[in-house]
Amino acid sequence: MTPNTTPPEHDDHRDRSSAPNSRRSQRPRRTTGRPRTRAAQRRALRREVPATVGVLTDAHDFHAMRGYDSFPFDDHPAYLRHVEALLTARTADGLHTSVALFDPDDFAQYCTDEGIDPDATRSRSRFTAAVAARGDALTYSGQPLGELLPRLIDNAVRQATWEYAAALLADVGACADCGEDIGKASLDRAFHLLSRLLEAAGPGAHHLVCSVLAPEEHLLAALQAQRDTTSTTARMDSVALTEFVTVLATAVALDRPAGVVLRTTTSDDTPVRLHGWRLQASRLVPLTEAEVFSAYCTDATTGEPVSPEPNVEYRAGFEVQADDPDPHH
């Protein structure tokens, strides 16, 4: 008998590579999970396309849209239920959806400017997309519509306030003496005043409200600022900061009546502190304790007294050390 001279390693290699029922031939094919058909690919792509839903938040706006034959709804509560069902269904499908306020007057003006038919579904879609492109939409995250609509309205009011204030600043023009842009100088001054106020306020959670009696509107802007005990600067949302500074700058530029109030919370164990100032000659002049109390504890509409808030201390405004204002007129 002839001995087997083939090395065992080579023999194993030969058997594995040539046997039809080897492990290599039986190994399952690796899959990627990618859709194979065109229809499946289109469905997958659709899940990656964001959408914006324009909402008619009140009955007055809803009634205005009923004048278009292409608008299919005739009952506002039922319409809102359909909107909420649509938003819920898109969220359940994992689709990104934002919500924007649909204003019929703005829509009509948009259609006029664009030369498109307002009585068409496509026109409403184009307008909603344009509103979202301006940054006036909120992301829908599954909350009930009753919670989302007030935020949507507040967002629209804030945007309109900022646009109006910015337009006022743009129209002021240049200083007659030095030629400097008064709007820009007023923005710088407003930011300077805010920085010095927060610096003097110290650590804590600060809520500021600026109120300006503009030529045609009563402007309001709010700002949240958080400053830790280990930091010399406060953390603020950049958008809210821009809105607040712009509104305050209109009072600086136009020398309009304006006030700033500050609500500060330092811990759960200490009372909330309330302070107030009036803007005068581009400076923040502290209100007295009585003036702060009156401002918070008087109904702005009726003038009737309002009960003080519990666990709140009404204090005079403190001194805000600021640089001398530039004499622009």
Side-chain angles (χ1 to χ4, degrees):
M1 178 180 291
T2 305
N4 186 355
T5 57
T6 304
E9 305 91 284
H10 180 76
D11 199 27
D12 289 346
H13 175 73
R14 180 195 59 197
D15 291 342
R16 286 197 301 267
S17 62
S18 60
N21 294 323
S22 66
R23 292 180 181 177
R24 177 178 296 180
S25 62
Q26 293 178 346
R27 187 179 301 157
R29 188 174 183 179
R30 185 175 298 173
T31 60
T32 62
R34 296 174 180 171
R36 298 297 178 184
T37 66
R38 290 185 178 180
Q41 289 173 342
R42 283 196 295 269
R43 287 194 298 270
L45 183 60
R46 190 176 296 115
R47 286 194 293 270
E48 299 186 15
V49 177
T52 302
V53 178
V55 183
L56 297 159
T57 58
D58 60 54
H60 176 77
D61 289 345
F62 180 84
H63 179 75
M65 292 304 295
R66 288 189 62 195
Y68 299 111
D69 292 337
S70 61
F71 186 73
F73 301 98
D74 55 12
D75 180 77
H76 189 234
Y79 159 80
L80 291 178
R81 288 193 294 270
H82 283 296
V83 170
E84 187 163 26
L86 171 64
L87 295 173
T88 302
R90 288 186 57 84
T91 300
D93 290 339
L95 304 175
H96 177 82
T97 310
S98 56
V99 184
L101 185 72
F102 195 103
D103 186 285
D105 294 334
D106 290 348
F107 169 65
Q109 186 61 52
Y110 174 83
C111 292
T112 299
D113 295 342
E114 296 293 320
I116 58 178
D117 180 13
D119 199 357
T121 302
R122 182 185 296 271
S123 299
R124 292 195 290 274
S125 297
R126 283 184 56 178
F127 172 71
T128 301
V131 172
R134 295 201 308 258
D136 295 349
L138 298 177
T139 299
Y140 179 73
S141 56
Q143 66 270 52
L145 206 59
E147 295 179 9
L148 179 63
L149 292 187
R151 289 185 55 211
L152 195 63
I153 295 171
D154 180 66
N155 186 67
V157 170
R158 287 173 50 192
Q159 181 68 20
T161 298
W162 174 81
E163 290 177 353
Y164 176 67
L168 289 176
L169 291 177
D171 290 341
V172 174
C175 176
D177 296 328
C178 68
E180 184 175 2
D181 187 317
I182 295 179
K184 182 180 182 305
S186 299
L187 286 168
D188 293 340
R189 179 64 181 177
F191 184 79
H192 174 71
L193 292 174
L194 174 63
S195 299
R196 291 300 177 88
L197 190 155
L198 289 174
E199 180 182 322
H206 305 296
H207 178 77
L208 299 102
V209 176
C210 178
S211 173
V212 178
L213 189 60
E216 298 179 4
E217 299 284 345
H218 185 189
L219 303 181
L220 287 172
L223 176 65
Q224 299 279 357
Q226 181 73 42
R227 180 178 164 187
D228 300 328
T229 55
T230 58
S231 175
T232 58
T233 58
R235 300 189 304 274
M236 295 168 282
D237 176 76
S238 59
V239 174
L241 173 61
T242 299
E243 294 169 350
F244 188 93
V245 169
T246 303
V247 168
L248 180 58
T250 60
V252 173
L254 303 176
D255 195 23
R256 301 293 300 182
V260 174
V261 292
L262 170 68
R263 175 188 293 261
T264 298
T265 304
T266 54
S267 70
D268 294 335
D269 300 330
T270 58
V272 175
R273 304 193 309 268
L274 295 180
H275 304 272
W277 298 261
R278 70 170 59 88
L279 189 71
Q280 182 176 321
S282 298
R283 290 184 177 277
L284 290 175
V285 179
L287 298 178
T288 65
E289 182 177 322
E291 288 174 323
V292 173
F293 183 88
S294 177
Y296 273 95
C297 299
T298 303
D299 189 289
T301 302
T302 65
E304 295 295 322
V306 177
S307 299
E309 296 181 59
N311 198 39
V312 170
E313 293 181 351
Y314 300 89
R315 299 185 179 184
F318 46 80
E319 290 294 331
V320 177
Q321 299 296 329
D323 299 338
D324 290 334
D326 293 328
H328 296 290
H329 302 286

